[in-house]
Amino acid sequence: MSNRKSMRLVAAAMALALFAAACGDDSGDGSTPPDDAPDAGESTSSSTTAPPDDGASTPDTTITLTDAGRGVTAEAITIGFTAVDFDALIEDLGVDTGIAGSEPAVEAIAAWYNENGGVLGRSLDVVFEAFLPVGAVEADEVCVRLTEDVEAFAVLGGFVGPGAEEVNPCIPVLHETVLVGATPSAEQLATAGGLWVTPSMSLDRRLPEFAQLLADSGELENLGPIMLVGASGGDTETLEALAVAFRDAGAEVPVVATFSTTGDQLAAEADARIFIERARSEGVSTVFMIGDARFGQIAFFESAPELTYLLPIQENLAEWLSENPEGLSPDTRVLTSTVGSNQADPDIEACRTVVEEAIGVEILPPEELAEGELNYWAGMEGACRTFAVFTQIAEAAGPDLTNETWIAALSEMTDISVPGLESVSIGPDKYDLNDGLELVEYDYDSLEFVPA
């Protein structure tokens, strides 16, 4: 397979990652302010989860707002918003994901918040930055611009893609700037100390939760012995923890292995041949694969179509919705998990209405799009969720918005809502919000992930 084809696969796989979900126990549908929300004109730190249909409460004019610190003046909060540059994907890499850029949705939702009082009276001044989701160069440049040049109080969205996602700690750790988004590890969240919050579920929780989901659904007993495979040696510790989780759930795990390299096609294929022989000699019938080992994955599909494959994160398989992955046989079974999305959530509907009115385009869920129609849903949903999370925490931090009051607010918050997610929670040291996963199976003929 050519390097260009590989780049295309990698880039397209990241296309939906910016709006992948988060965790927790949702205290309500989030469509409007809570029943006990104060009337307009009252000072409030209650949640504004998404543009509610009936407007937002207006902050008390007696609140004294001052220049609280970097990125926060008496009038405004400066926010960076990062998103995949889908135009550059087409122009530079020849990759057309069919997904529209996020900037119009970001601008529309930010404008809605500002029209309805912003955050306790401060408007949201948003600086939008797009990046290529391949490599670290552009992500590094965006991080520096937003944290050093713009001096944003917070960055929403974060970075996705091989190399780019490794830059995320640049924002909350290196530059001590709030980050809302991306998919951090538990260690990264701990290191950021509350400055990194994500609507999604951390990888450390998601992988064992997927194992438990398989057990709870009854699928695990049908999978037989499982081989765990990581994309690189850096996955070893995660795989060891996963092996424990699977064994505790009652599965056999006779083989744990990692690829020696992910970027060298010949080396990955050689590793895959060895792993497949080991799998067959040990009676393995299922392969659980983590990380971005695309060359190895193709080699497995082509050489061992009889095996069942567990690829735990459906959001990383976005390109499968437009074409079957290379090497996959129609008869090969692939199971994965999705955070799901309640597309009928009133908060999502409210965001959808706001963005539709701003850009003059009907926004349809991806499965309802006709061939050739642009997917505006991705940008709308991602912006809706990250703005909702940011504004709830910022309001809870009060009129003196700083890193310290942000962290203090997080330590005291007991509930939060995320548009489109039905199971989310927050608490001391719990900064990845999504708690809900669904088990789905790939349907080769319809190019869909269907409930398993």
Side-chain angles (χ1 to χ4, degrees):
M1 184 175 63
S2 69
N3 288 337
R4 190 174 183 83
K5 171 68 172 175
S6 171
M7 192 73 76
R8 178 182 181 281
L9 288 171
V10 171
M14 298 298 164
L16 301 179
L18 287 180
F19 60 95
C23 44
D25 240 274
D26 198 351
S27 59
D29 64 18
S31 60
T32 59
D35 293 337
D36 59 351
D39 295 329
E42 235 180 283
S43 172
T44 175
S45 62
S46 62
S47 299
T48 303
T49 62
D53 296 329
D54 57 354
S57 58
T58 303
D60 192 334
T61 56
T62 64
I63 291 178
T64 301
L65 298 175
T66 62
D67 297 347
R70 186 195 62 202
V72 181
T73 68
E75 294 78 27
I77 305 168
T78 300
I79 296 172
F81 200 107
T82 60
V84 171
D85 190 336
F86 291 104
D87 290 336
L89 280 177
I90 296 173
E91 295 169 6
D92 298 352
L93 301 177
V95 176
D96 187 355
T97 64
I99 298 176
S102 299
E103 188 168 9
V106 170
E107 292 177 348
I109 292 174
W112 179 91
Y113 277 105
N114 290 337
E115 290 165 5
N116 290 277
V119 173
L120 299 181
R122 288 188 175 99
S123 65
L124 304 178
D125 287 356
V126 179
V127 178
F128 185 88
E129 290 278 357
F131 66 94
L132 272 172
V134 180
V137 175
E138 286 198 17
D140 268 321
E141 293 173 350
V142 168
C143 172
V144 171
R145 280 199 296 272
L146 292 177
T147 58
E148 296 184 13
D149 300 339
V150 173
E151 294 189 323
F153 171 74
V155 176
L156 310 188
F159 304 112
V160 296
E165 64 188 8
E166 297 170 8
V167 178
N168 280 307
C170 168
I171 298 169
V173 179
L174 184 59
H175 289 92
E176 296 183 342
T177 299
V178 169
L179 173 59
V180 178
T183 307
S185 66
E187 181 180 0
Q188 287 174 326
L189 288 174
T191 301
L195 294 181
W196 193 346
V197 180
T198 179
S200 190
M201 180 184 290
S202 70
L203 191 63
D204 307 70
R205 284 204 303 123
R206 183 155 183 174
L207 296 181
E209 285 291 337
F210 181 45
Q212 189 60 49
L213 185 61
L214 290 165
D216 292 344
S217 67
E219 281 287 348
L220 193 61
E221 61 189 43
N222 301 321
L223 296 176
I226 299 172
M227 176 169 67
L228 305 182
V229 179
S232 69
D235 295 321
T236 300
E237 187 174 340
T238 300
L239 291 173
E240 289 174 352
L242 255 181
V244 172
F246 270 113
R247 288 166 182 149
D248 287 347
E252 281 186 66
V253 184
V255 182
V256 178
T258 61
F259 284 94
S260 57
T261 179
T262 58
D264 186 319
Q265 181 177 359
L266 294 178
E269 290 174 346
D271 285 344
R273 286 194 294 271
I274 294 171
F275 298 159
I276 290 169
E277 287 305 312
R278 288 186 62 190
R280 288 169 174 160
S281 67
E282 296 285 349
V284 164
S285 54
T286 298
V287 174
F288 188 113
M289 193 175 297
I290 67 171
D292 187 31
R294 292 307 171 103
F295 291 132
Q297 176 182 290
I298 292 169
F300 262 96
F301 287 164
E302 291 178 340
S303 300
E306 76 278 7
L307 299 177
T308 295
Y309 292 91
L310 306 178
L311 306 178
I313 303 178
Q314 186 265 315
E315 300 91 272
N316 290 347
L317 308 177
E319 77 274 19
W320 292 29
L321 298 172
S322 57
E323 62 179 339
N324 297 123
E326 186 170 350
L328 185 67
S329 164
D331 299 323
T332 298
R333 193 174 189 218
V334 178
L335 294 172
T336 183
S337 71
T338 178
V339 295
S341 176
N342 178 9
Q343 297 171 346
D345 182 340
D347 278 349
I348 289 291
E349 280 297 314
C351 282
R352 178 182 182 178
T353 299
V354 166
V355 178
E356 283 182 339
E357 290 179 353
I359 66 176
V361 174
E362 183 181 14
I363 299 175
L364 298 174
E367 63 273 13
E368 296 180 19
L369 293 173
E371 186 175 354
E373 285 186 313
L374 270 179
N375 176 355
Y376 288 91
W377 187 277
M380 178 277 294
E381 188 175 55
C384 190
R385 287 178 176 170
T386 50
F387 271 110
V389 171
F390 174 78
T391 54
Q392 287 174 84
I393 301 171
E395 287 181 357
D400 184 33
L401 181 59
T402 65
N403 283 0
E404 290 71 27
T405 58
W406 172 278
I407 292 170
L410 278 174
S411 69
E412 296 176 359
M413 291 182 73
T414 57
D415 69 280
I416 195 168
S417 59
V418 180
L421 299 182
E422 297 183 343
S423 182
V424 298
S425 65
I426 194 169
D429 302 323
K430 185 180 184 295
Y431 308 131
D432 60 331
L433 306 180
N434 185 42
D435 293 327
L437 284 182
E438 300 174 13
L439 185 66
V440 291
E441 181 173 352
Y442 184 62
D443 187 294
Y444 188 96
D445 295 325
S446 66
L447 300 178
E448 293 179 331
F449 292 94
V450 298

